[in-house]
Amino acid sequence: MSTETNTDTEPSAESSTGPLPPVAPEVLAEAVENLTGRLRKKLDAAIEGCAAGAARADDGSVTVRFGEDALVTLRPGPAGTVTAAEQAVCTCLLAPRCLHRAAVLGAAPLADPDRPPHPDADADADAASASASVPDGRAESQAGVGAVGPSSAGRVGSGAGPGSSPDGPEPAAEVLTAARLRAAAALWQAAAEALAAGVTAGGAVVQAELLRAAHTARLAGLPRAEAAALRVVRGLRAARERSGAHRLGDLTGAFRELLHIAGLLASGTAGPALTGTVRRDYRPGGSLRVYGMCREPVLSATGYGGVVTHLLAPDGARHSVSDVRPGGLARARGAGSASVALGGAALDHAGLARGGLRIAGATVSADGRLGAGRGVQATPLRGIPWTEEPAAALFGRPAAEAVAAQLADRDTDPDGAAPALLGCEVTVVGAAGEDLLVREVRADAPLLRLRAAHPHPELPHTANLRRIAAHPGLVLRVLGRPDLDRAATLRPLAVGPVPGAEYTLRLPEEWLGRADLGYDLLQGSHFPPGTAAAPGAPAAEGPDLLADSPLWRVRRLLESGVAGGRRAVAEAARAAEPVTAYRPLRRAGFTAAAELAAALAAEADRRPRDPFGRLKDPSPDGYARAWLAASTHLAAAERYLVAASWS
């Protein structure tokens, strides 16, 4: 999950370490557009096997042979990316409008759009760290938000406008230029057609239409819309290739985000935040004092790896320093002790996580990321334990309150930063599979699930949780990030002893009272004697408000539409009477969800006829609006259940 997410430079969702170099989306879109209708029907079959047949030459070019007369050559630029049509050539007679060239370009990973350099930003780190921690597709609005599209926007069952909040007015809508409105309308149309096609029919041609619309959005100055479209294309690719990294829920969320952004932009009711920015904006922060809280390894499916060190200022403001670059697992493990590239500070990330910095001339992004500009100077400070302020304040607030505040922030800014860290004191209950069950040390506290922030076996998160699970009754402090898409689930990043508790952790003095679960390996000497139970002892779990609710029926309908397209939803509608199928939803009080699901099924099964009575293909516009309404309502309802699971 996740991971993310900001809209700066985002590493490609496919690794660029394979034989084929990354290709700019607009180059692929143009190649597919130039094919004839007959060749487009053969494109998906031609793409299969292209990567396996690629050969890299000493000069950096890559060749793929098709028979004896056709040889496709890709000559990437200095950055290793094919960014121009002339960098992809074929020797056949139909080139450049040939199937061979389009197939090779379609088999190559998608490159990220070029971004201008920024003096204070680590271009590789920004989105990589977010996407490694947070799942994509979080563009949802309030409960009950209805369909939005180029011709309509509104709230189903309410008189409020799109994106309105019961707590107060939203920022005023931005006046969009005609070019932006046209680009957004084209992107909405392409997204609606891709949704109607689904994974089964969302091949290279459908993806190319999305890429072309995404490029148009980029030229119109809508980078957030472009990024959302690229996430959908990458999700479709992963699903069709049956990649191990593919999750249908993530692709469903990516479609929801794309339709939400494109619909609001095309309807002219989008706020300034939806237009997005090309780069993270770093502003002068003056003089700062920050103290390390913990380190978090970053490992993404893109081949990027590194570390993010979380910091806290005396006034409680949260900051971070990141170091994320290509290198994968090896770099994620090594970066935890790499030098901090900030103002010449003679500290590594391990030292900063338990130390501090006095920074002069600081530059800070809106989400607290510290920039490493030329004018920044940093001096090491003594670190503070979690028992001192401002760190102690993190553990003084009930977790339910902190999660409720974060969920409210997501309502007002669905595409904002990753969930903030929260601290809580818990008592270990036992293991539940690979997870750890704990109970917060307060009256009537619910059972919480601690899930590894990064489950990769080469990172110690899972091993540390197993060791802790073997000590039921252990009391400890946990600092982590709540998983806002699951009931009562926390992704722990660091743990420490509880002051004054008898059965708690016994950590080395140099660890300053906490252990980074992604880098420090807990040993037997770190636990009190006499409290260990049999490994793997089962723990009784309470009901899961999210999993046990009948909302799974709506989720299954939405995901079947993403997987099988409009036809799959229509077949589901014919299989059972909608009133009967969604009766459990109505009995549980989810009346709006039942109505929206029934409306989606009815729209999917709508079969218009021409004046001669012949069936014709319905417009995907109404279907996309119905799907978006049901998906947005489901996401909002699930958020409320997640909030309730913490209290």
Side-chain angles (χ1 to χ4, degrees):
M1 30 179 7
S2 130
T3 251
E4 44 276 347
T5 56
N6 91 76
T7 55
D8 304 346
T9 306
E10 182 183 64
S12 167
E14 295 118 330
S15 174
S16 60
T17 59
L20 291 174
V23 172
E26 62 270 20
V27 175
L28 172 58
E30 181 184 8
V32 176
E33 187 178 9
N34 288 335
L35 294 178
T36 63
R38 181 178 61 86
L39 293 180
R40 289 188 183 190
K41 295 178 181 179
K42 300 179 179 181
L43 182 56
D44 288 326
I47 287 175
E48 297 180 7
C50 283
R56 187 177 292 272
D58 294 338
D59 61 354
S61 63
V62 177
T63 58
V64 179
R65 180 169 293 281
F66 291 83
E68 297 182 359
D69 301 326
L71 180 69
V72 178
T73 303
L74 303 182
R75 294 187 175 86
T81 302
V82 176
T83 57
E86 56 269 20
Q87 292 176 328
V89 297
C90 181
T91 58
C92 77
L93 297 178
L94 292 179
R97 302 173 180 269
C98 64
L99 180 64
H100 314 113
R101 179 174 174 272
V104 174
L105 292 174
L110 285 179
D112 289 307
D114 293 332
R115 303 299 190 200
H118 189 284
D120 295 335
D122 182 347
D124 296 327
D126 291 345
S129 60
S131 63
S133 304
V134 185
D136 286 332
R138 294 191 288 109
E140 307 102 13
S141 300
Q142 295 283 8
V145 173
V148 290
S151 59
S152 67
R155 184 183 291 267
V156 172
S158 170
S164 64
S165 169
D167 301 323
E170 293 293 316
E174 183 176 0
V175 178
L176 301 180
T177 64
R180 283 183 166 184
L181 289 172
R182 287 194 299 269
L187 188 57
W188 166 272
Q189 190 63 31
E193 292 175 354
L195 178 67
V199 171
T200 54
V205 175
V206 171
Q207 296 170 27
E209 290 298 319
L210 268 175
L211 293 177
R212 186 163 63 89
H215 182 58
T216 303
R218 178 193 179 194
L219 296 179
L222 301 173
R224 282 192 61 182
E226 177 203 20
L230 293 182
R231 279 193 286 274
V232 168
V233 172
R234 287 166 176 151
L236 287 173
R237 283 188 165 198
R240 291 179 63 84
E241 294 168 2
R242 294 178 173 84
S243 168
H246 164 66
R247 287 182 57 210
L248 187 56
D250 291 344
L251 181 55
T252 302
F255 264 112
R256 180 173 62 246
E257 178 187 20
L258 174 58
L259 289 169
H260 174 83
I261 293 176
L264 286 180
L265 288 171
S267 64
T269 59
L274 276 186
T275 58
T277 56
V278 173
R279 293 295 312 215
R280 174 181 281 110
D281 186 18
Y282 283 77
R283 300 179 180 274
S287 297
L288 285 177
R289 275 187 301 138
V290 292
Y291 300 97
M293 293 293 103
C294 66
R295 292 169 292 169
E296 177 183 7
V298 173
L299 181 62
S300 71
T302 68
Y304 281 69
V307 64
V308 173
T309 298
H310 298 278
L311 310 166
L312 200 61
D315 61 357
R318 312 198 179 187
H319 299 282
S320 63
V321 174
S322 65
D323 180 10
V324 182
R325 299 182 184 278
L329 176 64
R331 192 164 200 292
R333 297 175 64 182
S337 56
S339 297
V340 176
L342 183 68
L347 269 181
D348 56 22
H349 281 272
L352 179 58
R354 295 182 172 94
L357 287 175
R358 178 182 286 110
I359 307 173
T363 56
V364 186
S365 71
D367 62 354
R369 187 73 56 86
L370 297 178
R374 290 199 250 343
V376 178
Q377 296 181 344
T379 306
L381 293 175
R382 179 190 69 87
I384 59 170
W386 283 357
T387 54
E388 295 182 12
E389 296 294 347
L394 291 174
F395 302 92
R397 185 183 189 185
E401 290 185 11
V403 171
Q406 294 195 35
L407 287 168
D409 290 341
R410 178 180 282 194
D411 282 340
T412 57
D413 184 13
D415 308 306
L421 300 185
L422 66 82
C424 56
E425 295 184 356
V426 300
T427 301
V428 174
V429 175
E434 294 295 326
D435 300 338
L436 172 64
L437 296 181
V438 299
R439 194 179 298 276
E440 195 174 357
V441 182
R442 60 179 175 87
D444 301 323
L447 209 62
L448 305 181
R449 180 182 293 267
L450 303 189
R451 178 163 291 181
H454 296 280
H456 196 288
E458 295 297 321
L459 294 174
H461 288 95
T462 302
N464 281 328
L465 291 183
R466 285 176 185 161
R467 285 185 175 271
I468 296 173
H471 296 263
L474 186 74
V475 181
L476 69 159
R477 283 185 163 182
V478 178
L479 185 65
R481 181 177 287 114
D483 189 335
L484 301 182
D485 297 314
R486 290 179 172 85
T489 301
L490 183 68
R491 304 269 184 178
L493 301 180
V495 295
V498 174
E502 181 179 358
Y503 295 111
T504 189
L505 291 173
R506 300 179 176 182
L507 301 179
E509 207 173 300
E510 60 271 19
W511 284 16
L512 204 63
R514 65 258 202 177
D516 293 331
L517 296 179
Y519 290 103
D520 301 322
L521 188 61
L522 294 173
Q523 305 291 341
S525 60
H526 298 151
F527 296 90
T531 60
E541 295 186 63
D544 188 326
L545 293 180
L546 191 59
D548 296 341
S549 77
L551 288 174
W552 64 266
R553 299 172 184 273
V554 184
R555 190 184 312 114
R556 184 172 66 179
L557 182 69
L558 294 169
E559 291 183 352
S560 66
V562 171
R566 179 175 187 157
R567 184 172 299 178
V569 178
E571 290 175 355
R574 299 187 199 114
E577 180 64 30
V579 175
T580 303
Y582 304 118
R583 185 173 295 162
L585 285 167
R586 299 178 189 277
R587 284 201 300 264
F590 296 109
T591 305
E595 292 177 354
L596 290 170
L600 171 61
E603 177 62 31
D605 200 31
R606 185 174 60 85
R607 291 178 285 179
R609 297 179 180 271
D610 63 16
F612 299 99
R614 295 172 298 193
L615 286 174
K616 63 179 183 179
D617 290 334
S619 168
D621 192 69
Y623 172 73
R625 287 199 300 270
W627 187 94
L628 178 59
S631 178
T632 303
H633 184 277
L634 172 66
E638 289 181 336
R639 281 201 305 275
Y640 286 117
L641 291 178
V642 168
S645 70
W646 285 82
S647 58

